[in-house]
Each structure stands twice: as structure tokens, then as C-alpha cells.
Amino acid sequence: MPPLLQADGITVAFGGRRALDRVSLAAEPGRVTGLIGPNGAGKSTLFDTVSGLRRPQTGRVRLDGRDITREGPARRARRGLSRTFQHLELFGRLSVRDNLLVAAELGPRRRHAARTADEVLDRLGLADTAQAPADALPTGIARLVEVGRALVQSPRVLLLDEPAAGQDAEETERFADLLRSLAAEGTAVVLVEHDMSLVMAVCDDVYVLDLGQVVACGPPAEIQQDETVLAAYLGEP
Amino acid sequence: MDQFLAFTVVGLSTAAIYAVIGSGLVLTHTTAGVFNFAHGAAGMLAAFAYWQLAVGWGWPVPAALAVVLLVLAPAFGLLAERVLMRPVQALGEAERLVMTVALLTGCIALARWVWDPNTPRPLAAFLAGEPALRLGPAVVTWHQAITMATALAIAGGLWFLLHRTRAGTEMRASVDDRALAGLTGADPLRAGRLAWVLGIQLAAVGGILIAPTVALDAQQLSLLIVSAYTAAVFGRLRSLPLTFLGAVVVGLLEAYLAGYLPQNDYLPGLRLAAPALLLLLALLAFPHRRLPGRDRTLVRVPLPGRRGGLVLAGCVLAVALVLVSVLTEDEVISYGTLFPIGVIALSYVPLAGYAGQISLCQLSIAGIGAVVWGHLGAHGALWALPVAVLVAAAVGALVALPALRLSGIYLALGTVAFATVLDRWIFTLPAFHVLGVRISLFDQGSVSVAGPDLFGLRLTSPTDLVLFSAFCLAVTSLGLAALRRGRFGRRLVALRDSEAAYATLGGRLLAAKVAVFALSAGIAGLGGALYGMQLQTVTADQFSLVAGLPVFLIAVVGGLGSVGTGLFTGLAYVVPVQLLDGLGGWAQNLPALLVALAGLGFAHSPAGVIARLRAQWTPLGRDRQLLTALLGVLALCWAVAVLVPAGGRPALAAALVVAMVLRNRAAARAAAPADVPPEWWGVRRPWRPEDGEVLSRATAAAS
């Protein structure tokens, strides 16, 4: 049984520089997969490649065993792949609720778009800000709205790019609970995050990316002890 | 062979002019971040000013040149930078584009106002009396030689400036990130100013050099810029050497087409349209990097309510009823065009207002709607109206295909190229056959347009047609308001804010863009057909690129996101022209100038005038007493205008005055319970945006 999402030997080069060098990653339903690494390691580029905004030079992306490498982002979304962006890509001129509504109307539950949007607003505690214009939100809330926009599509695979940046400790705690409950519902969550305590608390597997290569992967406890990981983050001893 | 050489010399000297103008365009675009649509118009004004000094007032040529190039052109550049561009610097690319379009319109109107277009103004070539130079078998006139030498000197001078001087380094530093350049000790403001001065000077050189070879005509000279645009696009609006190369390609192409294109009815237009076609190709062929930087201030797209839409539709119909009951038949014909123009202006609302795609060819597409209806609906057959709409929509879908690769100014440029191809070639074609179908456009003259036959009711009188157009405008406004509230409207706004997010949510960019272009073109086509009915005969001139710019500008001033912009644009486009008509010839170009000024003032209210009007009039709409009083007064004024001969204008004035007074009264009443103590602000009365500042000032004063 292949994993739900599998990226295999992905290489992406900008000019002569390899942003990703034969990177492989797998995500399973019901598990939170962490993706960590210093800035510039290629985490967001990997998300762009998996979500279809960028074509890899080599390698394959598979969803449910089906090769989707050549498919565009819209088709991948309709297969159940949702993502958020590190640099916010909210629909700034629309209200928070309309942001979710647009996504819901494009998603699998489009017949009940309004109800779906309202449910997710409640779940994320955004009901009070539903009518606020999205470009006027503080960053923490805006990131949550991006998560909500992905959730209304009831994704099978959810790619989250630094969703907790700009949140305080209490909000991060609540966010961790949300991730656990999403995994419990059977979603495959892939999380890019710099907040190590959050990553270590919620992830079942962690991939460490450095200079475009996977330097380690395994359960969080193992990763914390890994020499190469420490070297990547703190420099060679 | 001699002939070939002769064409080559002509081509190269034209190329030199395009290179000079194009490099000015590239300079302002890269350094100041503005693509200046008025660049050619600045050159045109310089040519006129030069004519005035050197020929009109008989100054010696060097003195005239010095004044134009060293005094007038830099002054124009500084003025444009300071007054026009700096206020919109923080706004988006689209807003900056609007300013230069307004400047273009203003320059043309100004030139026509000052220099009567009906007087010919021959301008002699430089050293026209001297015998031509012979370089081997090639003959080069002194003017051509001077032109080419100037271009070479400018190329060298620009290279030296940009690579060997501090000012040039500053200019290059400002290209990518103005704020960052500022941090490293460069002065992006000074660099921007210098770029404007140099850019306009280059445009002036080009304008003066090209004027002797073509007629001194405001519109024609301003639009020569299309060839220079092509050159600049070859340089991807960034590279000066590639711009020069592009200029050579365009210049030679034009010269060889002029020399070798066979003479028949169909091809002369192709020669004129060739630079525009090349521009389209170049836009599509080269990848374009947008200048870095996002829109910092998002202009909101208002969400019209059901009631607001109905009120608007009611206003449209009321205006129509008042017009047909008060005016004479001739006046009805001239005022009546406000409704079709309104429909055409509404075509901008979904496209530019919701989806953020700027198209400058909507009036050209309206022209297609008008001719299709003119030919197919000659006997009023109602089925021809949807056909006209569909044909226009199909053309719109065609325009959408390049739009998938282009955005921002590149898209605007593409639509300018498209409109130019229509103006110079397609609209001038005689009837032709494609696959056995006879296709006829303006038939090299005018097309007469009949009114429709509404199920046995033939609309022929101006009154009928005005009411019909008003009905169409009201329905289109209502339809667009519903669209904005609905799923498609939401999607368009979403698409505008983030294409990446829209695509990764499963949205199809292609489908949405083609749909909105087709929808908007269909609306424009309907407007064109109605416009034709009202005018009774149409010519290609009425649907040209330049004729369309004021409509675009007024729609922008009204607010592209508001459905009220239809009625607003119609009124503002038609009424001042008609009111000023009585003032005699000198006022003829005044409306165009006013439009340009209004466009330039737009920076101060980027959300549009309609949003402001709405805020001002809402209290009156909510105040039943005063509203009843207003309606009563309006009815009275209307009765006076109908019954008393020559009572129209006084009644209008009285109605306006009373309406303003009541509006202020209502605003005062609504604001009356304002003395809520500050601690209850936001509780007993809604929190206002200005409250925060009031409170912080008060606390600062107290401490």
C-alpha cells in the first residue's frame, strides 16, 4: 500500500542553484508530518512543487499511487490537496467569510458551501471576524484564515506553511489541538514550522531539509538527537 | 537594389526616432516604476511647441530647440513627477497607469485647444535646403543623417550616464527596490525626478525629429508611440540596447512594408497596423517580469445591496423619463447617448473593477457590436441584438487569450495594440469573404443603424430609443450588482487578489478569465449596438482607441468597482459637452480637458466618486421626511420644466440647489446625537475610523 502523498526524487533548480536535490517525502492519512530546516532549505519550494505551482526538473509526485506530476494546481486541489502560503495569499478585498466561501464553492462540498464555511469559522474561532476584510487582519489571524480556507475543502492532504507564525503561546497550544484533531479525522497533514516545540509536540514523523536535501527523517525524538540535524541548525561543531 | 537601399535608409532613420523615444520610456519605467502612456503625447506637445517658436513666431532654430529641450521638456517632466505620479506612488500599478492615460488625454485635448487642428502646420526638415549626402549608392538626406547621429549620440550618452556617473548608479539602484536604494544612501526620489526629466527630453527630441515626416496632428503624433512601445517591449521595458534593436526591427519593417507591400484595398491598413501587430507578438513571445512590489493599498470593491441596486435602476429610468419629457427631439438625440455610453462603461465593472484586468479596447469592441447590429439588424430583427452581443463576446474571449500570459501594464499595452490594429486596419477594410460568408464592417465609410423591432413594436423615434437604452442600462446595472453578490463575482475578486491561491483551491484561471472577458465584451457590444441606434449612422472614428479613453477615465473616476459607474459615466460624458455646447467653439475641447483633469485628480479618491456620493447621500435616503420633501421638489421642478417654455435650465438649477440643501440638512440630523461620551463610543453609537485618533489626541493633550 503506497502512502497517500508521495514525492519522489524531486529536483528543482533556479539557474545553476539546486533548490531541491532529489528530495523524497511521504505523508500518510492520520499522521502529522513535519518538515523543518533553516531558511532557504527549500521547504516552500517543495510545497510549490507538490501543490503544482512549480514543475520539478526530475522526480514524481504521487497522490494515492496516481502520478500527478504533470497536473496543474487546480486539478490537484480537486483531488484533495490543499495548502496555505508562507507569504500570505489571502483574498484581501474579500471578507474573511467570503474567503472561505470562495474555497468552499470550489471544493467537494460546494452544494453546502455556506454551511461548510460557517462550520469552519466556528471551529477556528473566527466567527467574530467573519465580516472583517481579510487585508486588515493581524498576521496570526490571517494565517488562521488561510488554514480555514484550506479546511473548507475537506482536504485529504493538507500542506501548512508556517501556519503558527505570529501566534502567542496560548494560540499555538490551541492550534496544536486542531492539528491533532485533523489528523484524528484521517487527514494527512504536512507541517512546515519553525516553532520546534510545536513540531515536536504534534508531529509523528519529521523530515529535516538543508540546502535542498533531506538530511534526516524519523520520529521527533530521534531527530532531536541527530548529529546532522544539530549541525544543520547550529553549524558544524 | 537602389530602391532597397533607399527603403533601408528611411527605415533606419525612423528606427533612430523610435529608439530615442523608446529609451525614454524604458528609463522612466525602470527608474520611476511608471509606464508612461503619455510619453508620445509629451513628444507631440514638444513638436507643437517647437513649431510655435520656430515657425509661428519665427525664432531661430537653435533658440527654439534650446527652449523646448532644455526648459519646457524638463519642466513638463518635473511637473508630471511631482504633481501626478508621486501621489499615486503608494497605490497600485493600475492607478499609476490611469494617471498616465489621463495625462495622454489631457495632452491631446490641450494641443487641440491651443493649436486649431484644421490649420495645416508644415514643419521643415532640418537643413532641408542642403543637397543630400551620398554614401556610396545610398542617398541620405541631412535630416535623416542628423536623426541617426542624434540616436547614436543619445545611446552613448545614456550608457555613460548610467554606468559612469553617480546619478546613473542611483537610477540603476532604484530599479529593483526604491526603499532599499534609499537605505544605501541613494536618493530614489532624485533618481525618479531625473528619469522623468530625461525621459520627457528624449520624447521631445523624438517628437521634433519625427514631426517633419508626418503631419503635425495631435492624435497621430501621440499614437506614433505605439511603434516606440514595440521597441521598448523588445527591451522588455528594461534593457536599453535591446530597445534600440527593437527600434531597428520596427523601423525597417515599416519601411519595407511601405515599399514592397502590394497595393490593393486590403493591405494599406496592414502597413499602418504592423507595429501594433508586432507589439502584440512581442508581448506574447517574451516572458515578462513585473516590476517588484505589490499594491500596498487595496481599493475595495463595494458589495451592492439588493435595495441599492433597485434604487439605482429606478434612478436610471427616472433620468430617462425626465429627459424625454423635458427636452426637444434634437436634444433627446444628443443627450440620449448617455445610456449607451453608460452600458459601455459598465463593461469595465466586471473586468477591471472585479477581476482587475485593465482593457483599453472596450469602445473598439463596442464598435463591433454596433456594426454587427447595423448590418444584421437593418430591419430591426430582434434576434440580431443577441447575435451582436455574442459576436462581441467572442472577440472579447479572443482578447482574453493573451491576457492569460499578460497582466498589469502588459495587458493594457496588449489591448492598446489590439485597438490600434482594429483602428488602422480591420475597421478600414472593405467587405471581404471568409469561407463564403460576407463580412462587412464599416465599409470604408459609415453604416446606418436602425432601431429594434420589439415584438411588433418598432422603435424608431429618439424617445423610444432612449427609453429602450435606459431600460438596458438599468437591467445591466442590476445584473452586475447580482453578479458581484454571487459566486462568480466573489471568484473574480479572489482571482484578482491571489491567482496562486485561486489556482491551488481548484479554480480554473483560464475559464474564469475567458468568461469575464467575454462577459464584459458582450456588455460593451450591447452598449455599442445601442449607441449606434441612437446615432443612426456610425463611423469607425467613433469607436477608436482615443475616443475610448475618456470613457475609461470617467469610469475610473466614478469607481470601477461600483455598478453606479454606468449612469455616472453616461451623465459625466454627455451632459457637460451638451451644456458647454452653447458657449461657442472655444469650449469645444474643454470637456476632454476636464475629463483629463478629473482623471488626474483621481489619486485623491482612488475608491471612486460614487462611493463618496453614496456616503454623502445615504442620510437623506434614510430620512423619510426630507426624502419626501426632495421628491416633491423634484416633481415640481420637473413640472415647471415640462410646462414652462425655456424653464428647463432654471428648474434643473433649482432642483440641484434644493437637493444639496436637503442633503446637508439630513447629514446634520443624522449626526445630531453625537455628544455620546467617549467611553460609550463603539457601544451606544458605532465606532468610527477617526475615533481612535481623536482619543489619542485627547489623551496626549491631557497628559
Side-chain angles (χ1 to χ4, degrees), chain A residues 96-152:
Chain A
V96 168
R97 185 168 183 273
D98 277 356
N99 265 272
L100 268 62
L101 211 47
V102 168
E105 285 162 354
L106 289 165
R109 295 174 62 189
R110 63 195 69 181
R111 281 164 197 277
H112 312 288
R115 206 173 68 209
T116 312
D118 290 331
E119 280 168 13
V120 171
L121 283 174
D122 278 340
R123 182 172 187 180
L124 297 181
L126 290 170
D128 292 342
T129 43
Q131 296 309 324
D135 70 336
L137 300 173
T139 319
I141 307 279
R143 290 189 182 280
L144 213 51
V145 175
E146 281 228 345
V147 175
R149 201 174 58 181
L151 283 185
V152 290

Side-chain angles (χ1 to χ4, degrees), chain B residues 589-685:
Chain B
N589 285 293
L590 210 53
L593 209 56
L594 289 179
V595 167
L597 286 177
L600 295 173
F602 138 89
H604 301 286
S605 149
V609 173
I610 293 170
R612 212 195 293 176
L613 287 178
R614 211 181 137 162
Q616 288 170 342
W617 290 87
T618 307
L620 181 56
R622 298 234 168 95
D623 193 320
R624 290 200 169 213
Q625 248 176 330
L626 292 181
L627 189 63
T628 319
L630 175 69
L631 291 177
V633 171
L634 289 182
L636 192 68
C637 291
W638 175 64
V640 169
V642 173
L643 299 174
V644 182
R649 289 191 184 202
L652 175 65
L656 284 178
V657 168
V658 171
M660 296 301 269
V661 169
L662 288 179
R663 184 195 86 183
N664 292 345
R665 191 70 200 283
R669 271 205 205 184
D675 44 337
V676 175
E679 60 270 30
W680 288 102
W681 288 0
V683 182
R684 287 193 183 158
R685 71 158 173 75

Side-chain angles (χ1 to χ4, degrees), chain B residues 354-629:
Chain B
Y354 299 167
Q357 311 279 324
I358 294 186
S359 157
L360 296 175
C361 63
Q362 295 304 99
L363 191 64
S364 311
I365 292 175
I368 292 170
V371 287
V372 172
W373 166 255
H375 290 298
L376 295 182
H379 304 292
L382 198 58
W383 57 265
L385 199 56
V387 172
V389 170
L390 287 177
V391 171
V395 174
L398 202 69
V399 178
L401 296 179
L404 290 174
R405 275 181 63 92
L406 306 174
S407 60
I409 50 163
Y410 295 103
L411 176 59
L413 262 180
T415 58
V416 165
F418 180 73
T420 311
V421 172
L422 290 184
D423 282 357
R424 295 189 184 170
W425 186 29
I426 307 290
F427 282 174
T428 65
L429 287 175
F432 57 95
H433 293 265
V434 175
L435 301 174
V437 182
R438 182 171 181 277
I439 295 181
S440 143
L441 294 151
F442 287 97
D443 293 335
Q444 297 186 303
S446 61
V447 174
S448 56
V449 184
D453 188 345
L454 285 187
F455 311 106
L457 181 67
R458 191 73 201 266
L459 304 183
T460 45
S461 78
T463 306
D464 296 346
L465 289 171
V466 163
L467 292 177
F468 181 61
S469 303
F471 175 75
C472 289
L473 177 60
V475 169
T476 315
S477 304
L478 278 177
L480 285 178
L483 180 89
R484 171 67 185 89
R485 283 194 304 267
R487 180 181 286 200
F488 189 51
R490 261 196 301 278
R491 283 188 186 180
L492 291 179
V493 180
L495 178 79
R496 171 185 197 173
D497 284 336
S498 171
E499 289 192 0
Y502 185 75
T504 50
L505 289 171
R508 293 184 184 86
L509 292 175
L510 174 70
K513 281 195 179 177
V514 170
V516 69
F517 267 89
L519 170 72
S520 137
I523 296 174
L526 173 67
L530 297 171
Y531 193 41
M533 292 175 200
Q534 214 105 97
L535 294 171
Q536 293 172 352
T537 54
V538 290
T539 62
D541 282 351
Q542 287 159 330
F543 298 99
S544 71
L545 168 66
V546 174
L549 294 181
V551 180
F552 171 69
L553 283 178
I554 302 178
V556 169
V557 171
L560 289 174
S562 319
V563 286
T565 208
L567 180 62
F568 176 84
T569 308
L571 286 171
Y573 184 81
V574 171
V575 173
V577 178
Q578 298 303 328
L579 288 180
L580 287 171
D581 205 28
L583 297 179
W586 68 271
Q588 225 171 27
N589 285 293
L590 210 53
L593 209 56
L594 289 179
V595 167
L597 286 177
L600 295 173
F602 138 89
H604 301 286
S605 149
V609 173
I610 293 170
R612 212 195 293 176
L613 287 178
R614 211 181 137 162
Q616 288 170 342
W617 290 87
T618 307
L620 181 56
R622 298 234 168 95
D623 193 320
R624 290 200 169 213
Q625 248 176 330
L626 292 181
L627 189 63
T628 319

